[in-house]
Protein backbone atom coordinates (compact mmCIF):
# COMPACT_ATOMS: atom_id res chain seq x y z
CA UNK A 1 0.00 0.00 0.00
CA UNK A 2 1.27 3.47 -0.88
CA UNK A 3 0.62 6.66 1.08
CA UNK A 4 2.01 9.98 -0.05
CA UNK A 5 1.41 13.05 -2.15
CA UNK A 6 1.16 13.66 -5.86
CA UNK A 7 1.62 16.58 -8.19
CA UNK A 8 -0.20 16.17 -11.50
CA UNK A 9 -0.11 18.33 -14.62
CA UNK A 10 -2.96 17.91 -17.13
CA UNK A 11 -2.87 19.31 -20.66
CA UNK A 12 -5.71 19.16 -23.17
CA UNK A 13 -4.97 19.82 -26.81
CA UNK A 14 -6.25 19.26 -30.34
CA UNK A 15 -4.44 18.49 -33.53
CA UNK A 16 -4.23 21.47 -35.89
CA UNK A 17 -7.21 22.11 -38.11
CA UNK A 18 -6.65 21.47 -41.82
CA UNK A 19 -7.69 23.41 -44.89
CA UNK A 20 -7.49 21.38 -48.10
CA UNK A 21 -5.28 18.85 -46.30
CA UNK A 22 -2.74 21.38 -44.96
CA UNK A 23 -2.53 21.92 -41.18
CA UNK A 24 -3.23 25.42 -39.95
CA UNK A 25 -0.82 26.80 -37.39
CA UNK A 26 -1.87 29.77 -35.27
CA UNK A 27 0.23 32.87 -35.89
CA UNK A 28 -0.55 34.18 -32.42
CA UNK A 29 1.21 31.30 -30.66
CA UNK A 30 4.53 30.79 -32.38
CA UNK A 31 6.05 28.83 -29.51
CA UNK A 32 3.45 26.06 -29.68
CA UNK A 33 4.09 22.60 -31.05
CA UNK A 34 3.13 22.59 -34.76
CA UNK A 35 1.63 19.12 -34.28
CA UNK A 36 -0.84 20.20 -31.60
CA UNK A 37 -2.83 23.15 -30.31
CA UNK A 38 -2.96 23.40 -26.51
CA UNK A 39 -6.44 24.48 -25.47
CA UNK A 40 -6.09 24.42 -21.68
CA UNK A 41 -4.34 26.32 -18.98
CA UNK A 42 -2.09 24.02 -16.98
CA UNK A 43 -4.14 22.24 -14.35
CA UNK A 44 -1.68 21.51 -11.56
CA UNK A 45 -3.03 19.62 -8.58
CA UNK A 46 -1.27 18.61 -5.37
CA UNK A 47 -3.08 16.23 -3.04
CA UNK A 48 -2.79 13.15 -0.88
CA UNK A 49 -3.71 9.90 -2.57
CA UNK A 50 -4.02 6.17 -2.02
CA UNK A 51 -3.20 3.32 -4.32
CA UNK A 52 -2.95 -0.43 -4.06
CA UNK A 53 -0.32 -2.26 -6.03
CA UNK A 54 2.46 -4.77 -6.06
CA UNK A 55 6.13 -4.22 -5.51
CA UNK A 56 8.29 -4.67 -8.61
CA UNK A 57 8.86 -8.38 -9.16
CA UNK A 58 11.32 -10.16 -11.40
CA UNK A 59 9.94 -12.05 -14.36
CA UNK A 60 9.70 -15.66 -13.13
CA UNK A 61 12.64 -17.79 -14.19
CA UNK A 62 14.82 -14.92 -15.44
CA UNK A 63 16.77 -13.89 -12.34
CA UNK A 64 19.65 -16.32 -12.78
CA UNK A 65 19.83 -16.49 -16.59
CA UNK A 66 23.36 -16.32 -17.94
CA UNK A 67 24.83 -15.84 -21.38
CA UNK A 68 23.10 -14.30 -24.39
CA UNK A 69 19.71 -13.96 -22.63
CA UNK A 70 21.16 -12.48 -19.45
CA UNK A 71 19.45 -9.16 -20.25
CA UNK A 72 16.18 -10.81 -19.20
CA UNK A 73 17.39 -10.78 -15.60
CA UNK A 74 16.90 -6.99 -15.60
CA UNK A 75 13.16 -7.20 -16.32
CA UNK A 76 10.50 -6.66 -13.66
CA UNK A 77 6.80 -5.85 -13.48
CA UNK A 78 4.23 -4.34 -11.12
CA UNK A 79 0.59 -3.29 -11.14
CA UNK A 80 -1.28 -0.34 -9.60
CA UNK A 81 -4.90 0.54 -8.88
CA UNK A 82 -5.54 4.17 -7.98
CA UNK A 83 -8.44 5.76 -6.17
CA UNK A 84 -10.69 8.20 -8.11
CA UNK A 85 -9.24 11.69 -8.48
CA UNK A 86 -10.93 14.86 -9.74
CA UNK A 87 -9.29 17.67 -11.71
CA UNK A 88 -10.72 21.07 -12.65
CA UNK A 89 -9.43 23.59 -15.15
CA UNK A 90 -10.25 25.87 -18.07
CA UNK A 91 -10.41 25.28 -21.82
CA UNK A 92 -9.34 28.29 -23.85
CA UNK A 93 -10.83 28.90 -27.34
CA UNK A 94 -12.04 25.33 -27.71
CA UNK A 95 -13.28 24.24 -30.17
CA UNK A 96 -13.08 27.80 -31.51
CA UNK A 97 -13.11 31.30 -30.11
CA UNK A 98 -16.90 31.68 -30.52
CA UNK A 99 -16.96 33.74 -33.74
CA UNK A 100 -19.34 32.60 -36.47
CA UNK A 101 -18.00 32.07 -39.95
CA UNK A 102 -19.75 31.63 -43.30
CA UNK A 103 -16.96 30.93 -45.75
CA UNK A 104 -13.78 28.83 -45.68
CA UNK A 105 -11.79 32.05 -45.80
CA UNK A 106 -13.39 33.30 -42.59
CA UNK A 107 -12.78 29.93 -40.94
CA UNK A 108 -9.12 30.05 -41.97
CA UNK A 109 -8.68 33.58 -40.62
CA UNK A 110 -10.31 32.64 -37.32
CA UNK A 111 -7.90 29.70 -37.00
CA UNK A 112 -4.82 31.73 -37.86
CA UNK A 113 -5.72 34.70 -35.67
CA UNK A 114 -7.90 33.55 -32.77
CA UNK A 115 -9.15 36.03 -30.21
CA UNK A 116 -7.05 36.43 -27.07
CA UNK A 117 -8.10 34.36 -24.09
CA UNK A 118 -9.67 37.38 -22.38
CA UNK A 119 -12.08 37.89 -25.29
CA UNK A 120 -12.40 34.38 -26.70
CA UNK A 121 -14.46 31.38 -25.70
CA UNK A 122 -13.75 30.04 -22.22
CA UNK A 123 -15.12 26.88 -20.65
CA UNK A 124 -14.49 24.97 -17.46
CA UNK A 125 -13.92 21.22 -17.36
CA UNK A 126 -14.25 18.68 -14.55
CA UNK A 127 -12.32 15.48 -15.22
CA UNK A 128 -12.39 12.45 -12.92
CA UNK A 129 -10.85 9.02 -13.40
CA UNK A 130 -9.37 6.00 -11.70
CA UNK A 131 -6.72 3.87 -13.28
CA UNK A 132 -5.46 0.33 -13.32
CA UNK A 133 -2.21 -0.33 -15.12
CA UNK A 134 0.86 -2.53 -15.35
CA UNK A 135 4.45 -1.37 -15.57
CA UNK A 136 7.06 -3.44 -17.39
CA UNK A 137 10.47 -2.34 -16.15
CA UNK A 138 12.90 -2.89 -18.98
CA UNK A 139 15.71 -1.97 -16.61
CA UNK A 140 15.39 -2.74 -12.91
CA UNK A 141 18.17 -2.59 -10.33
CA UNK A 142 17.52 -4.17 -6.95
CA UNK A 143 20.19 -3.48 -4.36
CA UNK A 144 20.18 -4.15 -0.65
CA UNK A 145 18.60 -0.79 0.22
CA UNK A 146 18.10 0.97 -3.13
CA UNK A 147 15.79 0.06 -6.03
CA UNK A 148 15.60 1.79 -9.40
CA UNK A 149 13.52 1.01 -12.48
CA UNK A 150 12.33 2.49 -15.76
CA UNK A 151 9.86 1.13 -18.31
CA UNK A 152 6.58 1.54 -20.22
CA UNK A 153 3.11 1.63 -18.64
CA UNK A 154 0.02 -0.08 -20.08
CA UNK A 155 -3.48 -0.10 -18.63
CA UNK A 156 -6.97 1.38 -18.59
CA UNK A 157 -8.58 4.55 -17.25
CA UNK A 158 -12.27 4.78 -16.39
CA UNK A 159 -13.29 8.42 -16.57
CA UNK A 160 -16.06 10.99 -16.74
CA UNK A 161 -15.78 14.55 -18.00
CA UNK A 162 -18.13 17.53 -17.78
CA UNK A 163 -17.65 20.78 -19.69
CA UNK A 164 -19.41 23.93 -18.47
CA UNK A 165 -19.85 27.29 -20.19
CA UNK A 166 -21.40 30.23 -18.32
CA UNK A 167 -22.44 27.84 -15.51
CA UNK A 168 -24.28 25.65 -18.04
CA UNK A 169 -23.21 22.05 -18.59
CA UNK A 170 -22.83 21.67 -22.34
CA UNK A 171 -21.13 18.28 -22.36
CA UNK A 172 -21.21 15.32 -20.01
CA UNK A 173 -19.75 11.88 -20.65
CA UNK A 174 -19.67 9.11 -18.06
CA UNK A 175 -18.32 5.59 -17.67
CA UNK A 176 -15.89 5.95 -20.56
CA UNK A 177 -12.85 3.69 -20.92
CA UNK A 178 -9.51 4.87 -22.24
CA UNK A 179 -6.36 2.83 -22.78
CA UNK A 180 -3.25 4.09 -21.01
CA UNK A 181 0.21 4.22 -22.50
CA UNK A 182 3.14 5.96 -20.95
CA UNK A 183 6.51 5.78 -19.24
CA UNK A 184 7.51 5.45 -15.59
CA UNK A 185 10.72 6.10 -13.64
CA UNK A 186 10.86 4.75 -10.07
CA UNK A 187 13.33 5.20 -7.21
CA UNK A 188 12.99 3.51 -3.79
CA UNK A 189 15.07 3.63 -0.62
CA UNK A 190 14.71 1.24 2.30
CA UNK A 191 13.94 3.31 5.40
CA UNK A 192 12.85 0.19 7.28
CA UNK A 193 16.49 -0.62 7.97
CA UNK A 194 16.41 2.10 10.64
CA UNK A 195 13.29 0.62 12.31
CA UNK A 196 13.99 -3.13 12.42
CA UNK A 197 11.74 -3.84 15.43
CA UNK A 198 8.70 -1.80 14.36
CA UNK A 199 5.87 -2.12 11.85
CA UNK A 200 8.01 -0.13 9.41
CA UNK A 201 10.65 -2.83 9.15
CA UNK A 202 9.88 -3.27 5.41
CA UNK A 203 8.87 0.30 4.49
CA UNK A 204 10.40 2.17 1.53
CA UNK A 205 10.52 5.84 0.63
CA UNK A 206 9.65 6.13 -3.06
CA UNK A 207 9.68 8.81 -5.74
CA UNK A 208 8.29 8.23 -9.21
CA UNK A 209 7.43 10.07 -12.41
CA UNK A 210 4.68 8.68 -14.65
CA UNK A 211 3.89 10.29 -18.00
CA UNK A 212 0.73 9.04 -19.73
CA UNK A 213 -0.51 9.69 -23.24
CA UNK A 214 2.79 10.72 -24.76
CA UNK A 215 4.32 7.50 -26.12
CA UNK A 216 2.83 7.82 -29.60
CA UNK A 217 2.72 11.63 -29.60
CA UNK A 218 -1.06 11.78 -29.92
CA UNK A 219 -2.22 11.73 -26.32
CA UNK A 220 -5.32 10.05 -24.94
CA UNK A 221 -8.47 10.85 -26.89
CA UNK A 222 -11.25 12.15 -24.63
CA UNK A 223 -14.88 12.03 -25.71
CA UNK A 224 -17.02 15.16 -25.49
CA UNK A 225 -20.23 16.60 -26.93
CA UNK A 226 -19.16 20.17 -27.65
CA UNK A 227 -19.97 21.89 -30.97
CA UNK A 228 -18.38 24.83 -32.73
CA UNK A 229 -19.92 28.29 -32.99
CA UNK A 230 -21.61 27.12 -36.21
CA UNK A 231 -23.05 24.02 -34.49
CA UNK A 232 -20.61 21.69 -36.23
CA UNK A 233 -18.81 18.77 -34.55
CA UNK A 234 -15.83 19.86 -32.50
CA UNK A 235 -12.37 18.50 -33.24
CA UNK A 236 -11.21 15.64 -31.05
CA UNK A 237 -9.90 16.53 -27.64
CA UNK A 238 -6.70 14.83 -26.40
CA UNK A 239 -5.04 14.75 -23.01
CA UNK A 240 -1.61 14.14 -21.52
CA UNK A 241 -1.03 13.56 -17.82
CA UNK A 242 2.29 13.74 -15.99
CA UNK A 243 2.27 12.71 -12.33
CA UNK A 244 5.04 13.20 -9.79
CA UNK A 245 4.60 11.10 -6.65
CA UNK A 246 6.54 10.63 -3.46
CA UNK A 247 5.73 8.97 -0.18
CA UNK A 248 6.13 5.74 1.76
CA UNK A 249 5.43 2.24 0.47
CA UNK A 250 4.59 -0.43 3.02
CA UNK A 251 4.42 -4.08 2.08
CA UNK A 252 1.38 -5.90 3.45
CA UNK A 253 1.87 -9.54 4.36
CA UNK A 254 -1.31 -11.57 3.88
CA UNK A 255 0.05 -14.90 5.10
CA UNK A 256 1.75 -15.88 8.34
CA UNK A 257 5.45 -16.57 8.17
CA UNK A 258 6.47 -20.18 8.69
CA UNK A 259 8.49 -20.38 11.91
CA UNK A 260 12.09 -21.33 11.30
CA UNK A 261 13.31 -24.56 12.84
CA UNK A 262 16.21 -24.38 15.22
CA UNK A 263 19.38 -25.37 13.49
CA UNK A 264 21.28 -28.34 14.90
CA UNK A 265 23.38 -31.31 13.81
CA UNK A 266 21.91 -33.33 10.99
CA UNK A 267 22.36 -36.58 13.02
CA UNK A 268 22.57 -37.20 16.77
CA UNK A 269 26.15 -37.60 18.02
CA UNK A 270 27.45 -41.18 17.95
CA UNK A 271 27.74 -42.84 21.30
CA UNK A 272 31.03 -44.33 22.35
CA UNK A 273 30.00 -47.90 21.62
CA UNK A 274 31.94 -50.80 20.07
CA UNK A 275 29.14 -51.18 17.51
CA UNK A 276 30.00 -47.69 16.27
CA UNK A 277 33.47 -48.87 15.37
CA UNK A 278 35.16 -46.81 18.05
CA UNK A 279 37.73 -48.25 20.52
CA UNK A 280 36.82 -48.26 24.17
CA UNK A 281 38.58 -46.04 26.56
CA UNK A 282 40.99 -47.67 29.03
CA UNK A 283 38.86 -46.67 31.99
CA UNK A 284 35.82 -48.31 30.45
CA UNK A 285 37.78 -51.56 29.86
CA UNK A 286 39.01 -51.76 33.48
CA UNK A 287 35.55 -51.10 34.85
CA UNK A 288 34.10 -53.86 32.76
CA UNK A 289 36.78 -56.35 33.84
CA UNK A 290 36.28 -55.65 37.52
CA UNK A 291 32.56 -56.04 37.19
CA UNK A 292 33.17 -59.48 35.52
CA UNK A 293 35.56 -60.66 38.27
CA UNK A 294 33.22 -59.62 41.10
CA UNK A 295 29.70 -60.17 39.85
CA UNK A 296 28.27 -60.03 43.36
Amino acid sequence: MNAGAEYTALNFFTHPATVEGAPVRKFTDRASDPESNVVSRDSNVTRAYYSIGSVPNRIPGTKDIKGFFSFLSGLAWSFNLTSPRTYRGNLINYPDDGRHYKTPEEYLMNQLFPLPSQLGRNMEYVYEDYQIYFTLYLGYYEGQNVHFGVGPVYGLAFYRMDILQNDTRISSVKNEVQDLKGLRVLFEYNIGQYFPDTILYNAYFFAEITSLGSMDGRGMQIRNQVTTANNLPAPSLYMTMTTYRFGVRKELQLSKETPKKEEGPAYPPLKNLPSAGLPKKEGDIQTTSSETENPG
Side-chain angles (χ1 to χ4, degrees):
M1 181 175 68
N2 297 339
E6 73 168 12
Y7 170 84
T8 302
L10 262 65
N11 278 312
F12 289 92
F13 60 94
T14 62
H15 297 305
T18 58
V19 176
E20 296 183 354
V24 178
R25 182 178 178 182
K26 299 178 181 179
F27 287 125
T28 57
D29 190 9
R30 299 181 183 276
S32 64
D33 185 351
E35 299 298 326
S36 63
N37 295 325
V38 178
V39 296
S40 66
R41 292 194 180 101
D42 288 340
S43 178
N44 300 327
V45 180
T46 304
R47 60 158 60 91
Y49 79 99
Y50 294 95
S51 69
I52 297 176
S54 66
V55 299
N57 295 287
R58 300 286 185 182
I59 304 298
T62 63
K63 185 174 182 179
D64 299 322
I65 291 181
K66 305 295 182 180
F68 180 77
F69 294 100
S70 60
F71 69 92
L72 295 176
S73 61
L75 301 181
W77 67 276
S78 67
F79 83 91
N80 289 84
L81 173 64
T82 66
S83 59
R85 292 162 295 174
T86 302
Y87 306 92
R88 304 177 71 98
N90 295 301
L91 298 177
I92 309 301
N93 287 341
Y94 174 78
D96 52 32
D97 57 18
R99 289 179 293 179
H100 294 271
Y101 50 89
K102 297 181 180 179
T103 64
E105 290 76 13
E106 290 182 355
Y107 172 77
L108 177 60
M109 292 300 294
N110 291 348
Q111 291 291 329
L112 294 176
F113 301 98
L115 294 175
S117 58
Q118 296 81 359
L119 303 176
R121 191 177 186 181
N122 290 271
M123 296 181 289
E124 183 181 10
Y125 69 83
V126 180
Y127 176 84
E128 178 183 353
D129 75 352
Y130 66 93
Q131 305 167 353
I132 178 170
Y133 53 85
F134 291 84
T135 304
L136 176 61
Y137 295 98
L138 299 180
Y140 185 70
Y141 168 77
E142 186 176 13
Q144 183 176 1
N145 294 312
V146 176
H147 301 163
F148 177 81
V150 58
V153 175
Y154 300 97
L156 294 174
F158 302 86
Y159 73 91
R160 71 174 182 89
M161 184 172 183
D162 295 335
I163 298 178
L164 300 90
Q165 184 175 11
N166 299 326
D167 297 328
T168 301
R169 183 179 287 104
I170 61 175
S171 176
S172 180
V173 295
K174 299 179 180 179
N175 302 323
E176 291 294 324
V177 180
Q178 170 65 48
D179 61 315
L180 296 178
K181 296 179 181 179
L183 184 69
R184 164 175 285 185
V185 178
L186 172 67
F187 171 81
E188 293 182 332
Y189 180 73
N190 180 14
I191 60 175
Q193 61 180 316
Y194 304 111
F195 311 98
D197 300 324
T198 69
I199 195 174
L200 297 177
Y201 75 96
N202 61 350
Y204 286 80
F205 168 81
F206 73 91
E208 67 180 34
I209 302 175
T210 305
S211 180
L212 299 175
S214 58
M215 287 189 66
D216 55 5
R218 294 189 59 86
M220 296 180 287
Q221 185 172 0
I222 304 298
R223 286 192 57 193
N224 64 78
Q225 301 162 344
V226 179
T227 58
T228 66
N230 281 18
N231 292 322
L232 298 176
S236 297
L237 191 64
Y238 298 88
M239 183 188 73
T240 60
M241 176 187 295
T242 302
T243 302
Y244 308 87
R245 294 176 175 173
F246 63 92
V248 175
R249 171 176 69 79
K250 174 70 172 65
E251 298 180 24
L252 298 179
Q253 189 169 344
L254 302 180
S255 61
K256 186 177 181 181
E257 289 186 355
T258 304
K260 295 182 179 180
K261 297 181 179 180
E262 296 183 0
E263 295 184 359
Y267 301 97
L270 296 175
K271 295 182 179 180
N272 196 10
L273 298 175
S275 60
L278 299 176
K280 293 182 179 182
K281 295 181 180 179
E282 293 181 359
D284 293 340
I285 296 174
Q286 293 175 0
T287 302
T288 305
S289 301
S290 62
E291 289 177 355
T292 304
E293 295 175 356
N294 303 299

